[in-house]
Amino acid sequence: MKPVRLMVYHANDDDPKKCSAKKLHRLGHADLVTTPRKIPKQMVLLNPFSKKSLSMEDAEMAQKHGILAVDCSWEHAEDFFSGVHDKMINRSLPFLIAVNPVNYGKFLKLSTLEAFAAALMILITRDKPSKSYRYTNGHLIFSP
């Protein structure tokens, strides 16, 4: 089984030194796009405003089309998601607490890295082998 394609729409709203999306891109783990036009249709969009949660039912679509995370300021998030939701498969993550240094302890304010890790843990069953990629805050599982 091939790894799930990870893509990030990056709005350049944050500090580049603290940006997990840019680090994932530099390390070759995620594709980075800066214009919504370049986002392929039918990707599973990790949308915190979606009413439907990510589940194993979405695994086939994620494997086929990939997972999209958005890296933008929380102040602009609603505007972005309202503009692209119609061409994506919108899914929210379960109630999670951030452990990243910027939003530590805040509910649902995950870094891009945390969002991808959570999504992949939901979509990939535990009986499959996994690769572990080292990141500053420890090991996170990314793909089978």
Side-chain angles (χ1 to χ4, degrees):
M1 178 184 282
K2 66 178 183 160
V4 175
R5 179 182 184 192
L6 302 178
M7 180 176 277
V8 178
Y9 167 73
H10 197 277
N12 289 314
D13 284 345
D14 56 2
D15 183 351
K17 293 178 183 176
K18 298 176 184 174
C19 183
S20 64
K22 285 191 175 181
K23 186 165 187 175
L24 286 169
H25 177 66
R26 270 194 320 270
L27 295 173
H29 300 309
D31 298 325
L32 197 77
V33 294
T34 55
T35 57
R37 288 189 318 269
K38 294 184 179 180
I39 300 170
K41 293 181 180 179
Q42 299 299 314
M43 292 191 91
V44 175
L45 172 62
L46 300 178
N47 180 348
F49 307 106
S50 176
K51 295 192 184 337
K52 187 165 182 180
S53 294
L54 186 69
S55 71
M56 283 298 295
E57 293 175 357
D58 302 309
E60 186 177 329
M61 290 303 284
Q63 186 67 45
K64 187 174 181 181
H65 299 287
I67 301 172
L68 175 69
V70 176
D71 192 297
C72 68
S73 165
W74 281 97
E75 294 172 11
H76 306 120
E78 259 187 279
D79 294 335
F80 174 80
F81 286 107
S82 64
V84 298
H85 69 85
D86 56 334
K87 67 178 190 172
M88 305 286 161
I89 299 164
N90 287 263
R91 298 294 183 262
S92 62
L93 290 170
F95 193 74
L96 298 168
I97 299 171
V99 294
N100 66 73
V102 176
N103 289 313
Y104 185 85
K106 294 180 183 173
F107 301 113
L108 303 174
K109 291 209 172 183
L110 307 177
S111 69
T112 305
L113 174 70
E114 291 169 325
F116 277 142
L120 290 169
M121 288 298 295
I122 291 166
L123 296 173
I124 299 169
T125 59
R126 297 212 184 268
D127 60 327
K128 294 179 184 175
S130 63
K131 289 182 186 175
S132 178
Y133 293 100
R134 185 152 180 80
Y135 195 77
T136 323
N137 295 337
H139 291 279
L140 292 174
I141 296 173
F142 267 76
S143 63

